[in-house]
Structure formats: structure tokens, C-alpha cells
Amino acid sequence: MPLHGNLRDFSATQVFNLINLSGRTGTLTIFEGIPTGEKDGMDKEKEAPGAEKAKVIFKTGKLVHALLSGQANDLIAVLNKAGKLTDQQATIMRDRAKGTGDKALAMRLIGANYVSQGDIVSSIQQFVLDVVYNLMSWHSGPFRFDDNSLPQEDRIYVPIDLENVIIEGARRLKKDEELLSAIPNLDVALKFPENPKEKFKGIHLSVEEWRVVSFVNPKNTIRAIAKANNMSDMEIRRIVYMLEQAGLVEIIAPAAGSASKSSSTSSRRAKAQQPIKKDVVSKLIDKIKSI
Amino acid sequence: MQTVKMVITGPFSSGKTEFIRSISEIEVVSTEREIKEDTAERSEKDQTTVAMDFGRITVDDDLVLYLFGTPGQRRFDFMWEILAEGMLGFIVMVDSTKPETFREAKSILETFRAYAPTPYVVAANKQDREDAWAPEDLRLALRIEPSVKLLPCVARDRESVRDVLLELLYTILEEMEMD
């Protein structure tokens, strides 16, 4: 029988923990939540599963694969994302390797000295972890875990210890919350400080950081910069925070009224304070008394 | 299906895992792993809860109570807020035989109170031991207000655990009626 629920009641961290500890094999699918218009006993709107958003695959309690819907996840895409294959190489490979499974393709790439076995393993692990850390920040969405169900795809599964993923994921969530409270509003702009040339002297920035810096202009909001660079909200926050802390950019205060959207911490608080009905507590009391 | 969550917290080795184990209808899903470093904690117990303990009590087809135990060691405290999310109430376990942990228990209590203004009780565990502090002495040591229930407890005794859970539920009901 599949395990199902909603991430707002049982977080991804908790689901992973259960799968890890019970050593399960199967596929966890997370769906888009479609409001049904009905309320549950906690006065929360019920959600029916809609389109698939992500799949996470486990083998005997270990994480082996994860993918977001609509995201290319074949070996070429994984190696391209990891920077092991250039865009051009990926295009050529995709054309030549039509119909070749990931395992056979991996052998060919290793044989042709394009990549090493270690490159493949680390790229797959990184790809899977990126997906999992992303979905660990989702606060709602129906999910279903189907026991012993594995996709019939020719994929390379690299087992990853879930315990470390859970701990690291939780750390990242906490860090993300700090970023959210530092930069709650993305509809603000950036500007350079008074003497930018002096400040940028001797500073080594990553490619992503330079891409953001190149868009710094009081007319561009942080949200617009993120969109132009195809970055997620958290990625842009991380970079802007670093640049701001280094004194390389200044955040221009938002106009009155447009300020701070609630952080996930405050939404958690609100969630914690949702009313629960008295009859639920009475039922619990009766049950505990009978134990 | 409605799920209700309660959190059992407290310092390292205060009996949280045992508490859940005594009352849960399923074998407790526990994330204890060996303590690797040669720390003072090692002499206390060989395993510690890393992420959480998880127990369940099914009331009926529509209602399930989940019990979550927090990791006791401070270095895992980033998990606390995640576990506290949406809780109906919480229990602070205190090892009545270890006055050196009382300050830590008080600090954990304050931390959880800050997460959510939910009802809570304090369980004075290991009351079956000769060297256990009496609950009223504990109240003074921990500076717990008279309005907060401080209950004697033996975490490995199912009835004792049941009484603590019931007291927490009565507190929750009383607070609901006051609102």
C-alpha cells in the first residue's frame, strides 16, 4: 500500500527519514497541489494531487536518483550541468548517442577519455543532491511513496546515504531562512557604492557573481536580475547577500508599502498557530486513557 | 486523515526515546547512531538521536497522533525548529538524577516556547531512582512557574508516560477553553 500525504503535514525531511530508517525501496512522487475547496479537520484547505513535480528514487533506504519534472536528466544533461561536457559537446553527443542507454554511453565516454568513472559518479551525485535539496525547501504539495516501484529506465544509480543528506538539507534550510530574513524582498534594486573601483580591486568573483554585478543598476530589481540570469530566488539572494556583505553593492530600500514579504520562518509560526478543534483533543484524551 | 503532532524534547540522555518507545503502537523509528568522538557524552550512552525519533498512536481511521523526539545534543539543534513546526504541544523531559543538565533543560524549554506559543508540560524523569530530585525541588531549580505542570515520570513505564501525555492534553484543552 502506498504511503501518501502532504508536505505541509509531513515535511520532505521527515519522509526521507522514514524511508531511510525503514530501508525502503521505491519511488516518492511529489505533485502540484490542487485546492479542492474543502477543509480538513485542521481547517486547512485540502489538496488533490495534480501534475507531477518531482520523483525521488530509493533503494534499500538509500537515495539513488531524483529528478524534477520537465528537467533533462539523462547522463549527457547531468555531465553538461556539472561542466564535464561543454554545451557543444553535449549537443554532438546527444546526436550521436541517440537510443543509447546511460550505462552504455558512460562506457563509451570513459573509453574515449571524455570523462572518468569518478567524474560520472560525482556528477550524478551532485545532480541528485541539487534536486533533493531543492525539494526539501518545499512547504506543501501532495506526495505518494510507492513501495518497490522503480522506473524502468536505463539509468546509473549511485547510492547516497540519506542521513547525511537530511542533516545537510536541514542546515541549508536554516541558511536559506537567514537569507530570506536578510533579503526578504526581491523587488528592490542594487547600486554600486561611492567608490566601486577601489572596492572591486583584488576581488575574485565567480562567473555567477560577475553576471549579477553586470546587471547592477538602480533600474533593475533583484528579481529582474535573477530572471535575466536564469537564477532561482535563493541563488540570487545568496549572491546579492555576499556582494552586499563585501561592500560591493548596496541595496536600495524599497518604496514604502512594498517592503518585506513574510519569511518562511514567519509562515512557519503562522502554521504552528493554526487552530485545532476541541473534539480532536477530546478524542486524543479518550484514546490515551484507554491505553 | 488528520494528523496531530507532539514533540518530546529535553537534554541529552533525558529519556525522550524511551518515553516514545513506551507508548508508541509501532516500533519507534529512531535515528540513533553511534557517538563517534571520545566525549564525556560517550560514557552516558553509546548512541544518540541524530535527527528524530518517531512514534505513532492511531486514534481512529481519521485521526493519528505522531510523537516526535528531538535530538538531545546541541550540535543537532538545527533540527528542532523543523520538528516543532505545527506541533500541538510539547513535553520537556528532565533527568531528575542529573542536576548538571537542569540549566540545559531550561534553555531547551525557552527555545521551544519561542518557536510556538503551544502548551507544554515538564516531565521529571527517572523518578524510580533513589537519587532523583523530587518534582517540587526540580521546579525550584528550573524556576518553573507554578502554573506550569511539572509531572513525575518514569519513561520506561507505559502508565507513567500515559499520565504525562494526558496531562499535556488536559492543558491543551484548558487553554482552548480559555481562548
Side-chain angles (χ1 to χ4, degrees):
Chain A
M1 187 183 143
L3 169 76
H4 54 89
N6 194 304
L7 293 180
R8 70 183 174 198
D9 302 316
F10 217 79
S11 70
T13 311
Q14 291 165 349
V15 178
F16 290 168
N17 240 319
L18 280 181
I19 294 168
N20 173 37
L21 295 165
S22 52
R24 293 297 171 100
T25 294
T27 302
L28 174 74
T29 311
I30 300 168
F31 302 89
E32 195 96 52
I34 312 236
T36 61
E38 294 171 51
K39 299 260 182 186
D40 65 13
M42 304 276 281
D43 262 344
K44 291 183 212 164
E45 183 135 41
K46 281 187 183 173
E47 284 184 336
E52 279 184 11
K53 280 175 75 184
K55 269 189 192 296
V56 190
I57 297 146
F58 304 89
K59 242 181 174 175
T60 55
K62 290 204 186 297
L63 172 65
V64 292
H65 198 59
L67 59 136
L68 298 172
S69 293
Q71 180 189 36
N73 67 97
D74 57 344
L75 185 61
I76 295 173
V78 169
L79 291 171
N80 181 222
K81 187 170 184 272
K84 304 292 178 196
L85 292 179
T86 63
D87 289 353
Q88 198 185 1
Q89 284 172 325
T91 311
I92 296 167
M93 287 288 170
R94 195 160 276 126
D95 197 42
R96 286 186 189 168
K98 262 180 195 159
T100 311
D102 277 357
K103 287 173 189 165
L105 181 63
M107 299 297 283
R108 279 168 63 179
L109 289 170
I110 294 168
N113 279 333
Y114 268 104
V115 289
S116 67
Q117 190 181 350
D119 287 335
I120 291 177
V121 169
S122 63
S123 303
I124 292 173
Q125 278 186 332
Q126 198 49 55
F127 180 88
V128 169
L129 290 174
D130 285 349
V131 172
V132 168
Y133 291 143
N134 179 2
L135 66 86
M136 280 174 89
S137 65
W138 297 355
H139 292 292
S140 75
F143 68 81
R144 193 183 69 223
F145 178 76
D146 294 295
D147 232 358
N148 297 318
S149 144
L150 294 177
Q152 300 295 312
E153 289 170 354
D154 181 19
R155 293 272 178 265
I156 301 168
Y157 289 153
V158 181
I160 302 170
D161 198 327
L162 261 177
E163 208 165 273
N164 296 331
V165 175
I166 291 163
I167 292 174
E168 173 61 15
R171 262 190 233 285
R172 285 180 184 220
L173 278 178
K174 193 158 189 180
K175 217 172 168 189
D176 284 352
E177 278 177 11
E178 285 166 12
L179 280 174
L180 269 170
S181 61
I183 309 170
N185 186 3
L186 293 182
D187 296 313
V188 291
L190 299 174
K191 76 176 185 74
F192 288 118
E194 289 304 308
N195 48 352
K197 276 188 186 165
E198 274 306 304
K199 299 219 166 177
F200 276 87
K201 250 184 209 169
I203 292 271
H204 295 281
L205 297 177
S206 69
V207 177
E208 282 72 28
E209 287 156 357
W210 274 120
R211 280 163 65 194
V212 172
V213 166
S214 69
F215 281 93
V216 171
N217 180 325
K219 288 179 186 170
N220 295 334
T221 63
I222 297 177
R223 197 183 297 283
I225 297 173
K227 202 176 168 193
N229 285 307
N230 202 18
M231 287 175 179
S232 71
D233 287 359
M234 289 319 295
E235 279 172 328
I236 191 81
R237 276 193 174 94
R238 205 165 289 128
I239 292 173
V240 169
Y241 182 71
M242 194 285 298
L243 294 173
E244 200 243 340
Q245 290 295 303
L248 303 178
V249 298
E250 287 172 9
I251 296 173
I252 303 171
S258 66
S260 75
K261 287 177 184 161
S262 62
S263 70
S264 70
T265 307
S266 57
S267 70
R268 277 183 179 181
R269 300 267 188 281
K271 219 165 147 183
Q273 289 161 21
Q274 274 174 348
I276 188 161
K277 291 172 182 169
K278 274 187 207 170
D279 64 318
V280 170
V281 179
S282 302
K283 269 185 177 180
L284 286 170
I285 289 173
D286 292 341
K287 173 66 187 178
I288 303 287
K289 272 184 181 170
S290 72
I291 290 175
Chain B
M1 167 77 74
Q2 181 177 357
T3 57
V4 176
K5 179 161 103 178
M6 283 186 190
V7 171
I8 321 299
T9 188
F12 173 78
S13 192
S14 57
K16 303 176 288 293
T17 304
E18 207 159 29
F19 184 96
I20 299 173
R21 204 163 268 163
S22 293
I23 198 102
S24 173
E25 67 193 14
I26 56 166
E27 201 173 321
V28 172
V29 179
S30 182
T31 54
E32 295 199 329
R33 76 171 176 194
E34 232 176 85
I35 302 170
K36 294 207 169 60
E37 296 103 305
D38 192 17
T39 60
E41 289 158 344
R42 185 165 180 98
S43 59
E44 296 293 328
K45 61 177 196 174
D46 290 335
Q47 300 211 306
T48 189
T49 302
V50 177
M52 63 171 186
D53 290 321
F54 170 73
R56 189 185 71 192
I57 298 169
T58 305
V59 177
D60 55 33
D61 289 346
D62 298 320
L63 183 60
V64 175
L65 170 65
Y66 289 131
L67 300 172
F68 288 90
T70 63
Q73 288 177 296
R74 271 282 178 181
R75 63 198 166 105
F76 299 119
D77 64 5
F78 57 86
M79 283 296 295
W80 293 359
E81 193 170 359
I82 294 169
L83 293 176
E85 201 178 293
M87 64 185 172
L88 181 62
F90 66 96
I91 296 167
V92 183
M93 300 288 294
V94 186
D95 182 343
S96 313
T97 67
K98 289 204 169 57
E100 66 272 22
T101 66
F102 293 171
R103 187 190 287 254
E104 172 74 353
K106 178 75 175 173
S107 156
I108 293 171
L109 193 162
E110 296 301 340
T111 306
F112 270 81
R113 280 184 65 180
Y115 290 149
T118 51
Y120 66 97
V121 296
V122 181
N125 192 25
K126 305 187 188 175
Q127 284 295 312
D128 55 336
R129 300 259 288 263
E130 270 183 20
D131 52 348
W133 282 43
E136 282 319 303
D137 294 338
L138 256 175
R139 182 184 293 280
L140 291 174
L142 288 166
R143 292 186 193 159
I144 305 279
E145 296 156 29
S147 58
V148 175
K149 289 178 184 168
L150 200 153
L151 309 155
C153 176
V154 178
R156 60 178 174 209
D157 174 29
R158 193 178 170 91
E159 277 187 26
S160 173
V161 169
R162 186 194 63 185
D163 291 345
V164 172
L165 271 179
L166 273 175
E167 287 300 333
L168 174 59
L169 286 163
Y170 291 143
T171 306
I172 292 164
L173 202 57
E174 281 161 19
E175 291 203 11
M176 279 177 166
E177 280 162 1
M178 274 160 52
D179 288 341

